[in-house]
C-alpha cells in the first residue's frame, strides 16, 4: 500500500533514429522495420503524484498535449494500476521541453517515465517482461526507453536489443513547426513502393543490407580498441565518418521531404554546417546533426536560428547515464 501521498519526478529523454529501413506491410497493418535508436539528454519531466482516492488526471501547460485517455501517460498509468490490481488517485504533470510530433519519441518516452515513476511511487515493481509487454501495447517506439543508450529496433520497432553504446556526440535538433503524422508517412511509403513495383523480396533484401551495414559500422576500425586515433574527438569523428560511408539512412526521407520541402531545406542547411552525419529522425519533423565537437554544434545552432529555424543542442546519452540521470535531481 502506498503512503497517503507520494510524488516522484522522472526525466523522460528523447531519442533519434540512426538509420531506419521500412520493410513490408504486415497482415496486422504494421510495417516490418529496422532501426538504431539513440537516446538523447534533452528531456521532458514527468511528475507522478499518487494519493488516496481514484482516477487518473493529466496536467500539461502545452495545449498541444491531450489531457484525456488518449494521452500515452494516461494509458500507461491505467495499465500499471491494472497490473498491480490496485486503485489510486494518480496525477501526472508533464513539463514539455521536447517538440510534440517531432519524431523524437517524446510521447513514448513520457509513457515509460510514467511507468517507472508510478512503480517508484507505489514502491512496487513490474517484472521486466511485463514492463516490455505494456510498453509495446502503448506504441512501437515505447520499449526502447526501457533499454536506453544505443538500441537496435526490429519487428515493428518494439523488439529491442541493447547495442554497444556509442560515445556521447554533440547533437543539434532542428524542428520546423510542422507535425508529420507517422501513419500517413507509412501510407505514403506504401504508395511509393507500389509506384515503383518493389517486390517483397526486395523488402527483405533491404533488411539484410541494413543489418550488414550496421555490422560493418559497429565492427569497423573506429570502434576497435586498436588502430584508432588517440584523441577522443578524433575517434568520434572517425565513427561518424564511417557511419556516413556505410550509407545508413532513413527511408522516411524519401516520402517526407517531397511533401514538406521546408524539412528538406533544414537537412541541406545542416549539411552545410560542420555536422558529420545529418538525418531525419523517425518520420520527422526533426532533422538532427551529429557533431564531433561542441563548439561546432553551438556555431551551427546559432546559424540555423539566425535563418529562422528553431534549433536546440544536446548530446547523445549512453545507457549508464540514461539510467543514472533519470531520477537524479538538478540540471544536466
Ligand atoms: O506503434 P504506434 O502506435 O506508434 O504506430 C502508430 C501507427 O503507425 C500505426 O497504427 C501504424 O499505422 C503505423 N506503424 C506502422 N509500422 C510500424 C509502426 C507504426 O505501419 N512499424
Amino acid at each position: 500500500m502506498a503512503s497517503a501521498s507520494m510524488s516522484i519526478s522522472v526525466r523522460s529523454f528523447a531519442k533519434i533514429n540512426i538509420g531506419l529501413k521500412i520493410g513490408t506491410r504486415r497482415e496486422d497493418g504494421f510495417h516490418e522495420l529496422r532501426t538504431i535508436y539513440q537516446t538523447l539528454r534533452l528531456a521532458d519531466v514527468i511528475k507522478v503524484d499518487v494519493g488516496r482516492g481514484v482516477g487518473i488526471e493529466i496536467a500539461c501547460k502545452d495545449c498541444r498535449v491531450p489531457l484525456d485517455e488518449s494521452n500515452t501517460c494516461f494509458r500507461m498509468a491505467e495499465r500499471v494500476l491494472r497490473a498491480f490490481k490496485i486503485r489510486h488517485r494518480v496525477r501526472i504533470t508533464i513539463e514539455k521541453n521536447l517538440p510534440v510530433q517531432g519524431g523524437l519519441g517524446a510521447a513514448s518516452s513520457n509513457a515509460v517515465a510514467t511507468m517507472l515513476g508510478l512503480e517508484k511511487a507505489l514502491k512496487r515493481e513490474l517484472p521486466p517482461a511485463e514492463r516490455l509487454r505494456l510498453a509495446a501495447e502503448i506504441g512501437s517506439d515505447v520499449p526502447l526507453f526501457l533499454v536506453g543508450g544505443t538500441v537496435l529496433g526490429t519487428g515493428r520497432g518494439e523488439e529491442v536489443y541493447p547495442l554497444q553504446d556509442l560515445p556521447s556526440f554533440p547533437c543539434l535538433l532542428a524542428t520546423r513547426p510542422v507535425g508529420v503524422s507517422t501513419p500517413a508517412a507509412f501510407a505514403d511509403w506504401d504508395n511509393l513502393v507500389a509506384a515503383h513495383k518493389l517486390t517483397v523480396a526486395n523488402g527483405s533484401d533491404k533488411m539484410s543490407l541494413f543489418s550488414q551495414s550496421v555490422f560493418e559500422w559497429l565492427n569497423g576500425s573506429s570502434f576497435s580498441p586498436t588502430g584508432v586515433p588517440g584523441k577522443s574527438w578524433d575517434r568520434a569523428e572517425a565513427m561518424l565518418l564511417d557511419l556516413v560511408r556505410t550509407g545508413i539512412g532513413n527511408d522516411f526521407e524519401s516520402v517526407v521531404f517531397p511533401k514538406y520541402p521546408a524539412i528538406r531545406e533544414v537537412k541541406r542547411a545542416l549539411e552545410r554546417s560542420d555536422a558529420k552525419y545529418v538525418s531525419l529522425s523517425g518520420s520527422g519533423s526533426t532533422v538532427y546533426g551529429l557533431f564531433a565537437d561542441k563548439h561546432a554544434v553551438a556555431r551551427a545552432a546559432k546559424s540555423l536560428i539566425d535563418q529562422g529555424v528553431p534549433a536546440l543542442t544536446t548530446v547523445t546519452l549512453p545507457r549508464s547515464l540514461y539510467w543514472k540521470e533519470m531520477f537524479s535531481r538538478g540540471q544536466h
Side-chain angles (χ1 to χ4, degrees):
M1 187 73 185
S3 55
S5 104
M6 184 80 182
S7 180
I8 303 284
S9 284
V10 192
R11 234 174 240 110
S12 166
F13 299 103
K15 64 84 180 160
I16 50 174
N17 297 81
I18 301 177
L20 192 157
K21 287 290 145 213
I22 310 172
T24 48
R25 190 170 179 278
R26 314 186 313 196
E27 285 197 345
D28 62 6
F30 287 93
H31 294 72
E32 205 49 36
L33 62 81
R34 301 283 182 275
T35 189
I36 298 176
Y37 300 109
Q38 172 63 56
T39 49
L40 304 178
R41 178 166 280 150
L42 194 72
D44 289 337
V45 179
I46 302 294
K47 191 162 147 272
V48 181
D49 290 285
V50 173
R52 288 190 206 287
V54 288
I56 300 166
E57 193 188 326
I58 310 283
C60 183
K61 286 190 186 139
D62 189 322
C63 60
R64 294 166 304 173
V65 175
L67 305 178
D68 60 9
E69 319 82 64
S70 69
N71 187 295
T72 52
C73 298
F74 188 106
R75 293 168 62 206
M76 181 58 90
E78 214 176 18
R79 282 169 169 76
V80 171
L81 292 177
R82 201 182 307 139
F84 286 138
K85 299 189 175 62
I86 51 173
R87 286 153 72 92
H88 271 292
R89 188 187 61 75
V90 177
R91 183 180 162 86
I92 298 156
T93 311
I94 307 170
E95 183 191 312
K96 263 271 151 242
N97 306 311
L98 303 174
V100 177
Q101 270 203 316
L104 298 175
S108 303
S109 175
N110 290 176
V112 167
T114 298
M115 172 194 275
L116 301 177
L118 196 48
E119 282 188 1
K120 225 177 161 92
L122 296 169
K123 299 192 174 64
R124 301 173 72 151
E125 276 187 16
L126 293 164
E130 181 78 349
R131 282 183 177 173
L132 188 69
R133 195 181 63 77
L134 296 188
E137 262 181 43
I138 305 285
S140 306
D141 63 358
V142 180
L144 82 102
F145 292 104
L146 290 170
V147 182
T150 311
V151 183
L152 176 69
T154 70
R156 60 179 166 92
E158 93 290 18
E159 289 179 31
V160 285
Y161 305 89
L163 288 175
Q164 64 199 86
D165 260 330
L166 299 176
S168 188
F169 296 115
C171 177
L172 186 153
L173 303 171
T175 312
R176 285 267 186 217
V178 272
V180 179
S181 148
T182 303
F186 274 112
D188 291 342
W189 175 261
D190 289 339
N191 292 334
L192 186 77
V193 169
H196 288 78
K197 298 196 173 51
L198 296 179
T199 60
V200 173
N202 188 304
S204 63
D205 280 356
K206 266 179 47 185
M207 294 298 170
S208 29
L209 198 62
F210 181 75
S211 309
Q212 279 167 31
S213 306
V214 172
F215 183 84
E216 209 182 313
W217 181 44
L218 297 181
N219 292 283
S221 61
S222 56
F223 280 88
S224 97
T226 57
V228 277
K231 289 188 238 135
S232 62
W233 62 84
D234 286 349
R235 182 164 171 259
E237 180 162 357
M239 281 180 183
L240 293 175
L241 293 178
D242 279 354
L243 174 60
V244 174
R245 214 165 290 130
T246 48
I248 294 171
N250 181 345
D251 276 347
F252 276 123
E253 290 186 357
S254 50
V255 285
V256 172
F257 288 170
K259 205 166 176 176
Y260 304 94
I263 304 179
R264 178 192 278 133
E265 279 313 309
V266 174
K267 182 171 181 187
R268 291 202 174 130
L270 259 174
E271 281 170 341
R272 288 192 294 270
S273 75
D274 289 324
K276 302 294 172 208
Y277 181 79
V278 181
S279 174
L280 186 73
S281 185
S283 59
S285 58
T286 298
V287 175
Y288 70 85
L290 296 176
F291 289 74
D293 89 88
K294 58 178 192 268
H295 303 294
V297 78
R299 275 197 310 272
K302 182 173 181 313
S303 157
L304 278 178
I305 291 165
D306 288 347
Q307 294 169 58
V309 181
L312 293 167
T313 62
T314 183
V315 289
T316 62
L317 196 64
R319 192 165 305 119
S320 59
L321 293 177
Y322 177 84
W323 289 103
K324 196 168 150 202
E325 294 180 12
M326 186 178 285
F327 292 103
S328 72
R329 294 183 184 281
Q331 291 290 315
H332 287 284

